[in-house]
Amino acid sequence: VEFSGAKNPLVYIQNNELFKIKGDAHSIGGRKRNGSFSFKKHEVRIDQPTVLYFLSDGYKDQFGGKDNTKFLNKKLNKILMDIHGLPMHEQKSILEITINEWKGTREQTDDILVIGMKLEWWEIYPMLFTPQTCCRIYPCCLDRLEANRQPSYY
């Protein structure tokens, strides 16, 4: 799998070990001060079962808890390690419940996006999650995944 990121990381878990590839410091849009910029391409070897997580900064930056602090990467990484072996629909539920309990009655700080994929024996099982507006993989997408063994993106 090849990955290039704009500010946000790719988190992946292989053999019960969490790895993080940082995105470049530049955003996708906007003006570049020193001319053009190329994003660095990273490669992740998928030769064993792997779970990939593409994340916005919204989950870790959400304020909450008893001291109204940010959720932060350490807690998010622990949750991902704890849930990565579960089916994607269960992971989605746990992430949703966790952030809602953390947030409590506070407003959501930022957009929150977590996209998880299990890559196992070359079959891809995607999961999309946003706590406010749940995006779902529609049955037609799953049919295409099974029929073609190729992901469909909408």
Side-chain angles (χ1 to χ4, degrees):
V1 170
E2 294 178 350
F3 169 76
S4 292
K7 296 194 176 193
N8 294 316
L10 167 68
V11 174
Y12 68 98
I13 300 172
Q14 289 181 331
N15 200 25
N16 289 316
E17 188 175 351
L18 187 139
F19 301 91
K20 185 181 285 190
I21 299 174
K22 291 183 179 182
D24 288 307
H26 301 277
S27 61
I28 293 173
R31 294 173 36 188
K32 310 291 185 249
R33 291 181 191 208
N34 300 330
S36 65
F37 175 79
S38 296
F39 288 93
K40 184 174 180 184
K41 180 174 71 172
H42 304 271
E43 291 187 18
V44 177
R45 186 169 173 84
I46 309 295
D47 56 357
Q48 58 188 305
T50 304
V51 183
L52 304 171
Y53 296 100
F54 303 90
L55 311 160
S56 70
D57 60 357
Y59 204 104
K60 70 177 182 69
D61 287 347
Q62 178 61 50
F63 283 93
K66 65 178 179 135
D67 296 325
N68 196 31
T69 57
K70 288 186 177 184
F71 196 83
L72 299 178
N73 280 321
K74 185 176 180 179
K75 286 186 201 84
L76 180 55
N77 291 343
K78 180 179 182 336
I79 289 172
L80 296 177
M81 281 298 298
D82 290 346
I83 67 173
H84 78 276
L86 298 173
M88 286 297 177
H89 69 277
E90 290 180 33
Q91 292 187 42
K92 175 188 170 287
S93 294
I94 291 168
L95 287 168
E96 200 168 45
I97 289 166
T98 302
I99 200 66
N100 285 330
E101 287 177 354
W102 177 259
K103 183 175 62 167
T105 59
R106 294 172 187 87
E107 291 291 317
Q108 184 171 315
T109 307
D110 196 359
D111 63 290
I112 296 175
L113 177 68
V114 177
I115 301 174
M117 289 182 170
K118 282 189 178 185
L119 301 178
E120 189 169 4
W121 308 115
W122 309 107
E123 294 180 350
I124 299 173
Y125 300 97
M127 177 271 299
L128 299 175
F129 162 76
T130 62
Q132 297 302 320
T133 56
C134 265
C135 299
R136 292 188 173 86
I137 300 297
Y138 294 97
C140 63
C141 301
L142 294 176
D143 292 344
R144 289 184 186 159
L145 282 171
E146 289 301 315
N148 301 325
R149 300 286 186 229
Q150 295 289 328
S152 298
Y153 301 99
Y154 293 98

